[in-house]
Amino acid sequence: MSIKLKPAVCIAWLPFGRVHLKPVIYATVIPVFRQPVQVSGDTSRRLNTSIAMRADTLRDIRIVKKITVTGDTERRVGHCGTVLVDTKRTLVKQSRILADTKIEIPHTLTYAEFKERGIRSFSVTLGELTLSDNIQLETVQPLSIGDSVQGRVLDYAFRFLVEETSQRGIVQSVKGTYSKDTLLYTSVHIYVERAKVSRYAAEIAAALGLRLHRLTDDFTPSQNFEGSGMTYHDFISALFGWTAKLPQRQINVFIRGDTLHIIQRGMEESVVDITHWPHAQPTIERKLVRSVWHSANNNLESGAHNEEDTAPIPFTGTISFKEISRTYYNGFLVRETNENGYSTYSYDGEYLAEKRTHNVDGSTSRTDYAYASTGRDVYLFKEWERTTEAVNDGKKHTEYDWEDWNREKGTERITYHAPLGYGWYATTVYVDGALEGSSLSQGKPGGKASQFTIEQSNLSLGAQYRGNGELPYSSLIDTEFPVVGTEYLRALTREIEWLNRRTQETVTVEIRARIRCGVSDIDHVVDFTERIRFEGHEYFLQSNTVELTPRLLRQTIKMVRWYG
């Protein structure tokens, strides 16, 4: 132990008296241990485990004890023994349902159950250029409108909703439609002006909740579907319906199970040979196909083109008479001159954005145009005109006298247009901030002319129609295709030429399957996903009608090819 002395001074203060300073010494005693302190200890643990059980069942016994001690370490001591036992487990399936979703439990039909379910007959027709199959059945167990029916005939899986019923006695005739009927006839909202068909197809399949199987050219449609409000059914028809003009490359769209198939003829991935299938005598029809008419005169529209090609080329050039001239670019007036000065015009797309006028006396006028767009239309919203007065300096001003635009003396005129409804528009005019007046009208301000008026205007200015002038014939096929791309249109033109004077052969054959003990010796339904080989030739499917009864399975196949 050591003692430290610490001197200190204490000052005492007495009011109205003398101050005496007295030294005071304080002694502070602090004990200090010079030797280190050591503490030792030990922990004793004892585990006692004893389990006794009598039962007629073996169990997996797992003992885990948790021991906690005061310290920085936590230990878990476990003992595990494993034995083989018979286990029974109950699984609980959880389903997540959206608020606007209805779950339907369909009637399930298989060929083996047709007799037990009271199905007297079942028929389905797979047709070209049809999105939905024609499904009909006869049953003695009535179904209700809207019932969902699913099943399988051979390898053809179907699912449909009951659309129509007809009852006669105990026999009910049922006509079905696709289970996606509600979505197919729901309006689609498109927010892209132009895209490739692969993107459109992917979006359609996703919207219908289907997988996509597409084997087609990835062309670009020329139509602008944005804001069209068409249904999915109409949208699919607009994308692929035009291909029927060229039957050798026709595109068929159909639903099988949970897959949306989009197949172009000639791109099928498989070929099915039906030559040795049991069939009746086929019916064969042949005819000569003419797709072009040869002529000594070139027809400007004989080749494949789209609707943009049929419109006149907008006029570009200058029309002048003495001191008056007007210059056009792509059908739009861009500059105008006369004896009093000149004017220039600039555009935002197809709408006038600015007009600038410079007169020979030095006066100027500049007008800006602003437009408001609604969901379906565009109308003129504001006109802002700023003018300057004439200089009167006795000289003739030209476009190089740019100082005239910066003169402060002048007026400002603002005109507002507003749609009131039912075709009426209100116009309000302010001059230098003061109300000048207002009026009503029924003509839409700044309205865009119709396509016919635009084309006639271009023709009157001297525009010409497009044309390649290379084909010395006229096409007997409508050559307006709703696609863009020069190379793709040329490919379609070559397809028109290829089809000319070919022999079209159509074969109709009836396949009759043998059924023994409820099992058919043919296990495949011919579909549009494949080409057909018959008697050494390859054909494309046009239709297949499958008829099924408890005693009969028949496929009536109609197929076509072109040769020569």
Side-chain angles (χ1 to χ4, degrees):
M1 178 181 294
S2 64
I3 299 176
K4 294 183 179 181
L5 299 180
K6 182 179 180 182
V9 177
C10 179
I11 300 177
W13 177 74
L14 298 175
F16 306 104
R18 294 182 179 180
V19 178
H20 299 278
L21 300 178
K22 296 180 180 181
V24 180
I25 298 175
Y26 291 88
T28 302
V29 179
I30 301 175
V32 178
F33 296 96
R34 294 296 184 181
Q35 297 180 354
V37 178
Q38 296 181 355
V39 179
S40 61
D42 193 8
T43 302
S44 176
R45 302 187 185 98
R46 177 178 295 177
L47 302 178
N48 292 327
T49 302
S50 177
I51 296 176
M53 178 179 294
R54 291 185 178 89
D56 56 355
T57 303
L58 292 178
R59 295 185 179 181
D60 183 4
I61 302 173
R62 183 180 181 90
I63 303 170
V64 177
K65 278 190 173 293
K66 182 177 180 182
I67 301 174
T68 304
V69 297
T70 303
D72 297 333
T73 304
E74 180 180 344
R75 295 182 181 179
R76 292 184 179 180
V77 180
H79 174 73
C80 180
T82 303
V83 294
L84 298 177
V85 298
D86 293 331
T87 303
K88 181 179 180 181
R89 180 177 296 176
T90 301
L91 300 179
V92 179
K93 181 180 179 182
Q94 296 182 351
S95 299
R96 184 177 182 181
I97 305 174
L98 299 178
D100 58 349
T101 303
K102 180 176 67 174
I103 292 182
E104 296 179 346
I105 301 177
H107 301 274
T108 303
L109 305 176
T110 61
Y111 177 70
E113 298 175 338
F114 268 33
K115 187 175 181 180
E116 290 77 5
R117 296 296 297 269
I119 306 297
R120 295 185 51 178
S121 66
F122 174 88
S123 67
V124 56
T125 300
L126 314 180
E128 62 180 353
L129 296 174
T130 57
L131 186 62
S132 60
D133 301 328
N134 183 12
I135 301 176
Q136 294 182 344
L137 62 86
E138 290 184 349
T139 178
V140 295
Q141 296 184 4
L143 298 173
S144 301
I145 297 295
D147 280 355
S148 178
V149 181
Q150 72 175 15
R152 177 180 294 271
V153 175
L154 303 182
D155 60 347
Y156 170 74
F158 61 87
R159 183 186 179 106
F160 65 90
L161 298 177
V162 177
E163 183 182 33
E164 297 179 11
T165 61
S166 176
Q167 190 85 25
R168 184 177 182 181
I170 64 172
V171 179
Q172 183 189 60
S173 298
V174 177
K175 181 180 179 182
T177 185
Y178 268 128
S179 59
K180 301 293 181 180
D181 181 74
T182 302
L183 278 178
L184 289 175
Y185 292 95
T186 301
S187 296
V188 56
H189 300 283
I190 304 172
Y191 300 100
V192 60
E193 182 176 351
R194 180 171 289 177
K196 288 186 174 294
V197 74
S198 57
R199 178 178 177 184
Y200 287 132
E203 295 295 336
I204 292 173
L208 297 178
L210 301 172
R211 294 183 300 173
L212 177 63
H213 178 219
R214 184 184 65 85
L215 297 173
T216 67
D217 295 332
D218 195 10
F219 57 87
T220 302
S222 61
Q223 300 107 308
N224 180 7
F225 299 108
E226 188 175 15
S228 62
M230 61 176 56
T231 64
Y232 284 96
H233 186 274
D234 295 335
F235 189 28
I236 293 173
S237 298
L239 288 175
F240 306 105
W242 62 270
T243 60
K245 298 178 183 179
L246 297 173
Q248 74 272 26
R249 58 185 301 140
Q250 177 177 292
I251 296 177
N252 291 300
V253 184
F254 51 96
I255 298 175
R256 297 289 182 268
D258 61 350
T259 303
L260 176 66
H261 297 272
I262 305 176
I263 309 296
Q264 179 176 317
R265 281 179 175 171
M267 292 190 177
E268 298 88 348
E269 294 178 322
S270 60
V271 180
V272 57
D273 194 336
I274 65 172
T275 303
H276 302 293
W277 288 12
H279 60 269
Q281 190 72 19
T283 300
I284 302 176
E285 301 175 6
R286 297 184 180 93
K287 68 176 182 179
L288 185 66
V289 178
R290 294 182 176 88
S291 60
V292 298
W293 173 65
H294 289 270
S295 172
N297 298 322
N298 290 354
N299 189 324
L300 296 180
E301 297 183 16
S302 57
H305 57 277
N306 54 37
E307 68 276 7
E308 297 175 354
D309 294 332
T310 60
I313 301 175
F315 176 71
T316 298
T318 301
I319 302 175
S320 60
F321 177 75
K322 294 184 178 180
E323 296 182 0
I324 301 174
S325 67
R326 292 179 175 86
T327 302
Y328 295 84
Y329 179 75
N330 277 341
F332 292 102
L333 178 64
V334 294
R335 183 179 176 86
E336 178 184 12
T337 61
N338 53 46
E339 61 274 9
N340 295 321
Y342 74 94
S343 298
T344 60
Y345 302 82
S346 59
Y347 299 86
D348 182 7
E350 299 177 344
Y351 295 91
L352 179 63
E354 184 186 49
K355 176 184 177 182
R356 299 168 68 96
T357 301
H358 193 182
N359 297 318
V360 294
D361 59 2
S363 61
T364 64
S365 173
R366 180 172 56 190
T367 306
D368 294 327
Y369 299 88
Y371 297 85
S373 60
T374 62
R376 296 179 177 271
D377 202 359
V378 175
Y379 69 92
L380 182 62
F381 171 72
K382 177 183 177 182
E383 301 177 53
W384 181 22
E385 181 183 8
R386 289 145 291 174
T387 62
T388 61
E389 297 181 355
V391 179
N392 295 325
D393 56 358
K395 71 174 186 177
K396 186 176 182 179
H397 289 247
T398 65
E399 57 185 310
Y400 299 105
D401 295 321
W402 54 268
E403 297 90 351
D404 295 342
W405 296 99
N406 300 325
R407 301 185 187 277
E408 297 181 356
K409 192 174 182 180
T411 59
E412 181 184 60
R413 181 185 182 93
I414 300 178
T415 304
Y416 293 99
H417 304 279
L420 301 179
Y422 288 91
W424 289 95
Y425 290 84
T427 301
T428 307
V429 181
Y430 295 88
V431 177
D432 292 334
L435 178 63
E436 177 75 9
S438 61
S439 62
L440 294 175
S441 65
Q442 283 192 308
K444 187 179 74 170
K448 183 181 176 182
S450 65
Q451 186 64 31
F452 175 79
T453 303
I454 294 173
E455 293 179 4
Q456 294 302 310
S457 174
N458 288 329
L459 289 173
S460 65
L461 292 173
Q464 296 180 352
Y465 285 100
R466 292 179 174 90
N468 49 35
E470 299 175 355
L471 305 176
Y473 55 75
S474 295
S475 174
L476 300 177
I477 297 176
D478 181 11
T479 55
E480 183 176 320
F481 298 97
V483 295
V484 297
T486 303
E487 291 301 322
Y488 193 69
L489 290 171
R490 287 177 180 172
L492 296 179
T493 301
R494 291 191 293 269
E495 292 292 335
I496 295 175
E497 296 173 342
W498 179 89
L499 189 60
N500 187 47
R501 301 194 67 79
R502 299 278 176 175
T503 299
Q504 176 178 301
E505 181 179 272
T506 304
V507 178
T508 303
V509 60
E510 185 178 287
I511 306 296
R512 298 175 180 175
R514 302 182 183 94
I515 300 177
R516 295 184 177 90
C517 300
V519 179
S520 171
D521 59 353
I522 296 176
D523 58 356
H524 179 62
V525 173
V526 179
D527 208 342
F528 291 96
T529 56
E530 58 203 351
R531 294 189 300 277
I532 306 169
R533 182 176 291 114
F534 183 70
E535 301 292 346
H537 303 294
E538 287 192 2
Y539 296 83
F540 300 110
L541 180 65
Q542 282 189 311
S543 66
N544 184 12
T545 300
V546 182
E547 299 174 82
L548 181 63
T549 67
R551 298 183 180 87
L552 173 68
L553 175 58
R554 177 170 56 200
Q555 298 185 57
T556 304
I557 299 173
K558 187 176 182 180
M559 47 192 173
V560 64
R561 74 182 180 108
W562 295 267
Y563 65 92

